[in-house]
Amino acid sequence: MTQTILLLNGPNLNLLGQRQPEIYGHETLEDVARIARDAMAPGFDLRAEQSNHEGQLIDWIHEARHGACGIVMNPGAFTHTSVAILDALNAFEGPVMEVHISNVHKRESFRHHSYVSLRADGVIAGLGVEGYAAAVRRICQLVTA
Ligand code: DQA
């Protein structure tokens, strides 16, 4: 049976490729979905979603409780602010990988703290969009282990 990985991107990531390319690169969200799909092991499929709204992201995490085996999430700025997203992820039982395109630890100090890291099974930062591929591979490994 095919297992679904949910790929969630948070606020402003719809502008990927246009927004601060010196930090986030030139690849778009479509490129991210392709890179993530290419990294999947056989027997997995990908649902890719992006929203600028915290509640929508939380609703998708709730749906994943019954519809996905793992979550790859770049929560954008909600990483640093959202206890509500942390709570939603805590209600999800499968593996969670947190991805940041930039190296948040090299940036402003407010980006150094992540609520999501309190739940994530792994955190990838600073690998550019290749970080999504690494995260998907890790979810496939953890689910099949
Ligand atoms: C980001 C880093 C966050 O601090 C920022 O708010 C983003 C993107 C990243 O992918 O590097 O929107 O999550």
Side-chain angles (χ1 to χ4, degrees):
M1 204 186 67
T2 306
Q3 305 200 74
T4 300
I5 296 173
L6 178 62
L7 168 62
L8 286 180
N9 278 291
N12 301 306
L13 289 160
N14 54 314
L15 297 180
L16 204 58
Q18 305 167 43
R19 163 203 187 207
Q20 296 181 283
E22 67 287 1
I23 295 176
Y24 299 113
H26 292 280
E27 290 93 346
T28 65
L29 212 51
E30 287 73 41
D31 295 325
V32 165
R34 179 180 43 75
I35 286 165
R37 276 206 176 84
D38 288 350
M40 278 187 315
F44 288 88
D45 69 14
L46 190 79
R47 175 179 177 192
E49 305 283 5
Q50 186 278 331
S51 179
N52 296 323
H53 305 281
E54 192 174 19
Q56 175 63 83
L57 292 162
I58 290 167
D59 287 345
W60 282 326
I61 295 167
H62 290 176
E63 281 176 31
R65 284 162 47 79
H66 302 292
C69 65
I71 298 175
V72 173
M73 184 167 194
N74 182 346
F78 290 146
T79 306
H80 319 297
T81 62
S82 182
V83 176
I85 287 177
L86 170 64
D87 285 349
L89 290 170
N90 277 331
F92 175 76
E93 287 186 359
V96 173
M97 291 293 296
E98 175 181 350
V99 175
H100 301 288
I101 296 166
S102 65
N103 179 2
V104 283
H105 300 290
K106 203 180 167 186
R107 300 180 64 193
E108 303 96 323
S109 60
F110 64 82
R111 296 186 202 274
H112 298 176
H113 177 262
S114 165
Y115 285 102
V116 171
S117 293
L118 293 167
R119 165 62 179 87
D121 298 289
V123 182
I124 296 169
L127 269 63
V129 292
E130 283 306 313
Y132 291 95
V136 164
R137 279 196 290 271
R138 184 65 179 152
I139 295 276
C140 294
Q141 258 176 19
L142 290 171
V143 167
T144 42

